[in-house]
């Protein structure tokens, strides 16, 4: 993470390694700015007062390594961001005028997206800022993962039954609430189908009738034209002297036939004229037959027009393309839809029976989920209570309240209307009684700021490996503790760091000694400008800083010896 022009920090790079990173430094050196920088990357409120005096804007940039299939990576890609060699680049800019901008994976995004990503990236536990496990939904998810297969197996079965119940309920509601509309639709379909059945249209019939009506309506002119054409081709019996096409063609053929032997080309023409004569004879014969067969019956014309009128009435109502074929297609689709509508009563009966069966199955699965969660919650609460005893809270007691959500519109179970959700009927909430006689309250309300950080540390240690959030930030987790309790805080942070990345802002050397990496936030003053930087401490430098934290100055011989002892003890503890 790079921080520029934020508070007392002019320009600093903070390297947060895997495992446990401790951030230390004198009061007022700027450790809070490191936490604030992370907060800005996580979508925290932009305060223009944070911008360093004289700077136009404060900028925080972070590079977060994650799997391509991680929830945060998937959500970022949905917003148009891209991973850079397995890392997501995030930046936040706050201007001195108060404007704020955010970029994720090279794409400008709303600041709200950072908050969405934060839910899957970092759990913040501080005296004034708590995220993650304080939300009941996250508590239930973490408890389910803590319980393992005891919850996972019935939860998978429950989820399948729940989704099917939702689908059945939607379909049943759609059928029953639209019963009137569907009945009206069925009546209209029956009327239309009956009307079509009464006419009994045949595919293509309208085209054929149109052609027949055209022919019957012009029968006299068609017959006259056929007779004139026939006479021109074959001659008129009433005019023996008249010249017709057949006679002329026959004469031409005879003329060429007499000399065809003298020239093959002329012979070929003679053959073509002979074929022409045959064709003329055929056409003349068909014209004679056409005239004889032509029906000029006015009664038939009336019947055709009446039939056409009946078909036209159907095509106007049911033929989207104005044809009988379209009417027949509507009838086919209408008949299928009517069968579907007529089967609604039977379908309602089937769906109602399935719904009741699923409700019963869901009730049994939900109870199995509740039983498994109660058993896991008992184990978990006992483990957290033991952790708190070692964190200077010997009388604190943690419990988990598991209750069913009641809903007037829910499913009746033993006289109660219970709301069934995707993960069961249970609401899960962590409760804390900080001392004997105190009533258990939600952990966000039952502890002070410093106590809350320790409670969350204990919770996270017990949940270690169960909560999918890869990074934890603890600010002032050691407030109000010292001595042996401080060592225990450091030991538990180191334990948590075996399964996640842990960042801790601390004043206690007992805690810092357990860190895999220690960062020093240090203020410098050249007489005119005060600025802070961040340094990775190693070897002698780390011993000097631990000595300062122990004795108030880094040159104390006894403090140095104590610092070396702390580091050795922490390393020995880590190797176990």
């Amino acid at each position: 993470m790079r921080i520029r022009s934020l508070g007392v920090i002019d320009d600093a790079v903070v390297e947060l390694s895997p495992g446990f990173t401790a951030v230390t430094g004198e009061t007022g050196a700027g450790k809070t700015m490191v936490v604030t920088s992370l907060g800005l990357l996580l979508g925290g409120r932009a305060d223009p007062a944070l911008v360093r005096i004289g700077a136009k804007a404060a900028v925080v940039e972070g590079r977060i390594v994650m799997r391509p299939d991680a929830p945060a990576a998937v959500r970022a890609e949905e917003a148009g961001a891209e991973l850079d060699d397995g890392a997501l680049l995030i930046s936040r800019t706050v201007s001195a005028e108060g404007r704020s901008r955010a970029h994720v994976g090279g794409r400008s995004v709303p600041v709200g997206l950072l908050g969405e990503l934060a839910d899957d990236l970092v759990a913040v536990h501080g005296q004034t800022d708590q995220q993650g496990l304080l939300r009941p939904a996250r508590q239930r998810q973490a408890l389910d993962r803590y319980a393992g297969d005891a919850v996972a197996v019935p939860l998978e079965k429950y989820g399948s039954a729940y989704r099917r119940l939702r689908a059945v309920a939607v379909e049943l509601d759609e059928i029953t609430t639209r019963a009137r509309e569907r009945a009206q639709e069925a009546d209209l379909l029956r009327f239309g189908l009956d009307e079509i059945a009464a006419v009994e249209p045949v595919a293509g019939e309208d085209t054929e009738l149109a052609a027949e009506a055209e022919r019957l309506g012009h029968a006299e002119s068609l017959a006259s034209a056929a007779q004139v054409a026939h006479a021109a081709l074959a001659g008129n019996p009433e005019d023996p002297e008249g010249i017709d096409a057949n006679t002329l063609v026959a004469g031409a053929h005879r003329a060429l036939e007499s000399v065809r032997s003298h020239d093959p080309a002329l012979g070929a023409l003679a053959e073509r004229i002979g074929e022409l004569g045959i064709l003329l004879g055929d056409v003349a014969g068909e014209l004679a037959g056409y005239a004889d067969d032509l029906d000029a019956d006015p009664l038939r014309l009336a019947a055709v027009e009446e039939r056409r009128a009946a078909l036209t009435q159907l095509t106007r109502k049911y033929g989207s393309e104005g044809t009988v074929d379209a009417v027949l297609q509507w009838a086919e689709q209408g008949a299928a839809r009517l069968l579907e509508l007529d089967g609604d009563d039977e379908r309602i009966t089937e769906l109602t029976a399935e719904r009741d069966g699923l409700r019963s199955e869901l009730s049994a699965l939900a109870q199995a989920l509740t039983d498994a969660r109660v058993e896991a919650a008992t184990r978990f609460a006992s483990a957290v209570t033991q952790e708190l005893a070692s964190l200077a809270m010997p009388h604190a007691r943690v419990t988990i309240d598991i209750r069913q959500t009641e809903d007037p519109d829910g499913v009746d179970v033993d006289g109660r209307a219970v709301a069934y959700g995707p993960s069961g009927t249970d609401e899960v909430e962590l409760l804390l009684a900080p001392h004997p006689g105190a009533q258990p309250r939600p952990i966000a309300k039952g502890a002070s700021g410093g106590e809350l950080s320790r409670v969350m540390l204990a919770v996270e240690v017990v949940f270690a490996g169960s909560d999918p959030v890869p990074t934890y930030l603890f600010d002032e987790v050691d407030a109000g503790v010292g001595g042996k309790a401080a060592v225990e805080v450091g030991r538990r942070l180191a334990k948590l760091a075996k399964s996640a990345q842990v960042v801790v802002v601390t004043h206690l050397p007992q805690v810092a000694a357990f860190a895999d990496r220690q960062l020093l936030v240090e203020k410098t003053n050249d007489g005119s400008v005060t600025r802070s930087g961040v340094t990775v401490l190693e070897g002698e430098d780390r011993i000097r800083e631990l000595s300062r934290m122990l004795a108030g100055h880094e040159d104390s011989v006894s403090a140095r010896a104590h610092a070396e002892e702390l580091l050795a003890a922490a390393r020995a503890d880590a190797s176990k």
Side-chain angles (χ1 to χ4, degrees):
M1 179 173 64
R2 185 178 184 184
I3 309 167
R4 287 180 290 173
S5 302
L6 185 71
V8 294
I9 298 179
D10 181 27
D11 193 342
V13 175
V14 182
E15 299 179 20
L16 302 176
S17 66
F20 178 6
T21 299
V23 181
T24 64
E26 292 278 8
T27 300
K31 299 189 300 300
T32 302
M33 289 299 101
V34 175
V35 177
T36 301
S37 299
L38 277 171
L40 287 174
L41 285 183
L42 300 176
R45 187 177 66 87
D47 185 356
L50 297 173
V51 180
R52 184 175 174 81
I53 296 176
K56 293 182 179 180
V59 180
V60 182
E61 299 167 306
R63 182 176 183 272
I64 305 174
V65 179
M66 63 181 67
R67 302 187 319 274
D69 60 344
V74 173
R75 179 66 187 91
E77 288 181 347
E78 290 175 351
E82 295 182 359
L83 292 183
D84 179 21
D85 193 22
L88 187 65
L89 303 180
I90 300 177
S91 70
R92 180 82 180 276
T93 302
V94 181
S95 72
E97 292 78 22
R99 293 188 299 274
S100 174
R101 292 180 297 164
H103 289 80
V104 175
R107 180 65 61 89
S108 178
V109 299
V111 174
L113 177 65
L114 299 183
E116 295 180 31
L117 299 179
D119 289 341
D120 297 307
L121 291 176
V122 182
V124 179
H125 301 304
Q127 294 201 51
T128 59
D129 189 11
Q130 296 283 345
Q131 296 178 2
L133 279 175
L134 289 188
R135 293 194 297 273
R138 181 62 66 86
Q139 292 175 10
R140 192 205 67 244
Q141 294 168 5
L143 179 63
D144 287 352
R145 283 187 289 272
Y146 176 81
D149 288 343
V151 167
V153 173
L155 182 59
E156 182 178 358
K157 295 179 180 178
Y158 174 92
S160 177
Y162 175 80
R163 288 187 294 272
R164 178 55 190 163
L165 178 59
R166 290 289 299 271
V168 168
V170 168
E171 185 178 356
L172 188 59
D173 182 67
E174 194 272 339
I175 292 177
T176 54
T177 57
R178 292 186 55 200
R180 182 175 179 181
E181 291 86 347
R182 295 167 75 92
Q184 292 174 344
E185 182 184 358
D187 288 342
L188 290 174
L189 286 173
R190 289 191 187 92
F191 178 82
L193 291 172
D194 289 344
E195 193 171 13
I196 294 172
V199 177
E200 295 183 339
V202 177
E205 182 182 6
D206 50 344
T207 303
E208 296 175 0
L209 288 174
E212 185 178 1
E214 185 71 13
R215 189 166 58 251
L216 291 172
H218 299 83
E220 293 184 3
S221 60
L222 291 173
S224 175
Q227 290 169 359
V228 171
H230 179 269
L233 295 179
N236 188 347
E238 298 178 358
D239 184 13
E241 299 298 329
I243 300 175
D244 59 81
N246 270 336
T247 300
L248 293 174
V249 170
H253 185 261
R254 286 192 301 272
L256 294 181
E257 275 294 318
S258 63
V259 295
R260 66 178 298 170
S261 60
H262 302 303
D263 187 351
L266 203 59
L269 291 174
E271 289 182 2
R272 290 170 64 186
I273 292 175
E275 294 172 358
L276 181 58
I278 295 173
L279 181 59
L280 287 174
D282 290 341
V283 173
E286 291 183 15
L287 286 171
Y290 176 84
D292 292 339
D293 295 338
L294 189 61
D295 187 2
D297 185 0
L299 295 179
R300 174 56 187 169
L301 178 59
V304 168
E305 294 296 352
E306 184 179 355
R307 178 66 175 174
R308 290 186 67 199
L311 293 177
T312 299
Q313 188 175 9
L314 291 182
T315 57
R316 286 175 178 171
K317 290 183 178 181
Y318 312 109
S320 58
E321 300 175 2
T323 64
V324 168
D325 289 351
V327 172
L328 293 174
Q329 183 180 7
W330 182 92
E332 182 180 356
Q333 295 173 348
R337 175 61 174 162
L338 185 59
L339 285 175
E340 179 183 337
L341 295 172
D342 287 341
D344 277 357
D345 291 342
E346 181 179 349
R347 182 61 177 157
I348 288 175
T349 301
E350 293 175 356
L351 290 173
T352 301
E354 184 178 3
R355 181 199 62 190
D356 293 343
L358 286 169
R359 283 179 172 177
S360 177
E361 179 184 358
L362 212 60
S363 176
L365 290 171
Q367 186 59 52
L369 276 174
T370 299
D371 294 342
R373 284 169 176 156
V374 168
E375 190 278 331
T378 301
R379 289 188 288 111
F380 166 80
S382 175
V384 174
T385 300
Q386 291 179 13
E387 289 288 331
L388 290 177
S390 300
L391 295 175
M393 297 179 68
H395 304 297
R397 181 170 57 89
V398 169
T399 58
I400 294 185
D401 180 29
I402 298 179
R403 58 187 180 274
Q404 280 67 51
T405 306
E406 296 192 16
D407 183 354
D409 299 323
V411 179
D412 183 75
V413 177
D414 298 330
R416 294 181 304 139
V418 175
Y420 281 72
S423 300
T425 62
D426 301 322
E427 288 186 3
V428 175
E429 189 169 27
L430 294 175
L431 304 178
L432 171 70
H435 53 80
Q439 290 296 320
R441 302 179 63 197
I443 54 177
K445 301 177 181 178
S448 64
E451 289 177 333
L452 182 56
S453 290
R454 275 177 280 154
V455 171
M456 295 313 299
L457 172 58
V459 169
E460 297 287 15
V461 168
V462 175
F463 269 146
S466 297
D467 197 330
V469 176
T471 300
Y472 300 93
L473 172 63
F474 290 92
D475 184 18
E476 306 293 346
V477 68
D478 49 18
V481 299
K484 182 179 179 180
V487 173
E488 292 299 329
V489 169
R491 179 176 288 118
R492 276 151 181 78
L493 288 167
K495 180 180 178 180
L496 179 61
K498 292 181 179 179
S499 60
Q501 182 184 41
V502 177
V503 181
V504 179
V505 178
T506 181
H507 291 283
L508 293 182
Q510 297 95 325
V511 173
F514 279 90
D516 299 303
R517 169 176 288 187
Q518 185 171 346
L519 303 180
L520 172 64
V521 181
E522 192 172 21
K523 183 185 294 184
T524 60
N525 191 322
D526 60 4
S528 60
V529 177
T530 300
R531 50 172 60 91
S532 292
V534 182
T535 306
V536 179
L537 298 179
E538 296 178 350
E540 180 64 24
D541 291 336
R542 187 172 185 187
I543 292 176
R544 285 173 59 85
E545 171 63 7
L546 290 175
S547 299
R548 181 198 65 77
M549 297 172 72
L550 282 164
H553 57 87
E554 58 270 20
D555 296 326
S556 168
V557 175
S558 59
R560 179 183 177 85
H562 191 186
E564 292 175 343
E565 182 182 357
L566 277 177
L567 279 175
R571 289 166 181 165
D573 189 273
S575 64
K576 293 180 182 179

